[in-house]
Each structure stands twice: as C-alpha cells, then as structure tokens.
Amino acid sequence: MPFLPHRHRRPIAVTALAAALALTATGCLGGDDRAKGPFDGKPDREIIDTAIAATKSARSLTLTAEGSMATTRAKKKEPMKLRISVHQDGRCSGTMSVAGQGSVEFAADGKDTYLRPDEQFLRFQLKQPDEDGAGLSDREADGVVKLMKGKWHKADAAEPGSKDFTEFCDVDSLLADFGSGTTAGVKQAGEASVDGRKTLKFTQGDKNEEELHVATEGKPYVLKLIGTPEDEKKDGELKTIVLSDFDKAPLPKIPAPAEIVDPDKLG
C-alpha cells in the first residue's frame, strides 16, 4: 500500500481544489526495526505513531504539494502545484496552479468557501463541456470573465463538491488517513533533511521510490511524503507533500462582501 492513496473526485471546476487535496497521506508503516539516534532504539511503528500524533496536534500547518491532477471531463492530467495553510478550526487559504490552465486562490472560514480564479483558469473551466456536452460560447465566457475579474466566488454549501473541499480544510481531516495500513516493504533509509531540518527517512516500493520523513529535532512532525496512488503506478507519477509552519501558519484573509461577485449576475 503506497504512502499516498488515491481518492476519487469528480473533475469539475468547483471540486478541483478537493482533488488536489486528495494527496492525503497514509501511514502504511511500522515494523520491528529499531531506530538509532534521537529515537533511542524505538521500533518503527512507535516512531510513526509518535510522528502522526505530533502532526495531528498542530494547531495549524502549511502544506505544499506537487503532482498532477485532472480538471477536465476528459480526465487529462496536468502538472499541479498547491500551497495551503490549514487551521484546526476549519479556516484555510491558499493557491492552486495547474500547468496550462492558470491558478485559483481559495479561502475558507470554517463555514463558507471562497474561490478567486485568474482569467486563464476561469476561461479554461468555462470552456469545458457540461453534462450536455457543450461549454460556454466565447461571448458568454467573456461576460462571466468581466463579472468575475478580481472578484471572489462564494461556493454554496449545497453546490456539488463543496463539502468535498471543505472537509480537507482542517488538520484532522487532512491527516485522517495517517496511521492505517500494514508494514510490508517499509524500511528505514537513514538520516536525511527537509528544508534544512534533519529527518529520519523511511522508504517503500520496489525502487524505494516512496518516502516518509520524520523530524529528528524538536517535535517529531511528519515533514515530507512522496508516493504514487495505486491507479497511477503504471505511469510512475510521484506525488510530493511537504508540511511546515506548524502552529504558526498564517491566518486566511476572508473576502469582504464587496469583493464577492453577485451570484444573481452570473445566472
């Protein structure tokens, strides 16, 4: 079982962020090997459990991810980057960019979710075919872009996929899959570092291509994961997550009413 499992998400515009956040990590780790150094001979399973508990206890953190995702009904995958600051109370904010498709800012206050796509991202999504097989015409797209320019869209709680996104905007949900799994193929790979912080590295996979890094200085947070979802192994697409800013991630700036587009004008 890989470090990063696959979650099924519908490839529609509003759920694009949820799809990106589906890079949640699992703890398919454990074993009888004894760690050396700062973990004082503790077995792998205890080290991982300790790291999971420490990471989940953080009041906030910043997640940076790289991988690929599908944002079209054709499910064509493109390189994706994501940076999101997440708080225990459900507040979050960040930016997602997809190669050739633009970027979108997002923010949530624990109740409502707001999206602000750039023009490239918005036009790309507007041109995607709907359930009837047709996207907006150029004239229709121009009208929406004009209305949305510089504005935020407030996602309705009943909007398809809205819950799929907001459930990832708190630390507990983000790390819900940590700690499950088996011990098969997991082994320690010595000391390493992530952004200058020393780590104990664990690997898994035929070529040790999947990694999990646990901080060996300060609190034993999980600092980095690399993995491949099951249905993408044949393509060799690695996904990378780096966690940082524990307990000090910036608070999101929630849009003021004047910054939110009037949904009645969008039709």
Side-chain angles (χ1 to χ4, degrees):
M1 188 175 185
F3 290 142
L4 301 182
H6 176 70
R7 289 181 185 266
H8 297 287
R9 298 291 180 200
R10 289 162 295 200
I12 57 178
V14 176
T15 59
L17 302 178
L21 288 173
L23 303 180
T24 314
T26 63
C28 296
L29 300 169
D32 297 326
D33 291 341
R34 300 279 171 169
K36 298 179 181 180
F39 293 105
D40 298 326
K42 293 180 180 179
D44 293 353
R45 180 71 266 170
E46 186 174 347
I47 295 172
I48 298 305
D49 285 345
T50 299
I52 291 166
T55 306
K56 285 187 174 183
S57 71
R59 296 186 301 275
S60 65
L61 57 82
T62 295
L63 178 152
T64 304
E66 293 186 9
S68 62
M69 65 176 293
T71 56
T72 68
R73 293 187 180 276
K75 298 183 179 180
K76 181 181 179 182
K77 294 173 184 174
E78 299 289 355
M80 174 276 297
K81 292 184 179 181
L82 171 75
R83 183 177 178 84
I84 176 172
S85 295
V86 186
H87 293 255
Q88 280 281 12
D89 58 7
R91 291 179 291 178
C92 67
S93 63
T95 303
M96 182 194 73
S97 61
V98 183
Q101 299 176 18
S103 64
V104 56
E105 297 175 71
F106 56 92
D109 58 9
K111 178 183 176 182
D112 298 312
T113 303
Y114 304 87
L115 308 175
R116 183 163 67 175
D118 65 11
E119 182 174 339
Q120 183 183 14
F121 188 92
L122 184 58
R123 285 188 181 277
F124 182 88
Q125 295 296 334
L126 293 174
K127 297 298 289 185
Q128 297 308 305
D130 56 23
E131 294 180 356
D132 296 325
L136 296 185
S137 67
D138 290 340
R139 182 177 180 181
E140 291 171 326
D142 288 343
V144 174
V145 169
K146 184 177 180 179
L147 287 172
M148 283 289 298
K149 188 175 182 179
K151 296 283 189 177
W152 291 81
H153 164 63
K154 182 178 179 180
D156 192 297
E159 194 168 346
S162 179
K163 185 178 180 180
D164 287 343
F165 169 63
T166 57
E167 71 179 2
F168 288 103
C169 279
D170 68 82
V171 175
D172 284 343
S173 292
L174 187 65
L175 305 177
D177 287 337
F178 269 103
S180 62
T182 64
T183 66
V186 177
K187 57 186 178 183
Q188 290 181 38
E191 296 183 353
S193 66
V194 175
D195 293 337
R197 296 185 64 179
K198 293 181 180 180
T199 66
L200 180 61
K201 177 180 174 182
F202 294 86
T203 62
Q204 184 175 346
D206 295 337
K207 298 180 180 180
N208 299 322
E209 69 272 18
E210 297 166 8
E211 301 177 8
L212 184 146
H213 293 251
V214 177
T216 59
E217 298 177 330
K219 290 187 178 181
Y221 293 123
V222 175
L223 297 184
K224 183 178 182 179
L225 299 111
I226 298 176
T228 311
E230 289 284 1
D231 66 342
E232 293 183 352
K233 278 202 166 193
K234 61 181 181 295
D235 300 320
E237 295 182 80
L238 296 181
K239 311 295 183 183
T240 301
I241 293 176
V242 175
L243 304 178
S244 61
D245 294 339
F246 297 96
D247 292 330
K248 55 184 180 181
L251 288 170
K253 182 180 179 182
I254 303 302
E259 299 177 286
I260 302 170
V261 68
D262 184 349
D264 291 336
K265 293 182 179 180
L266 293 176

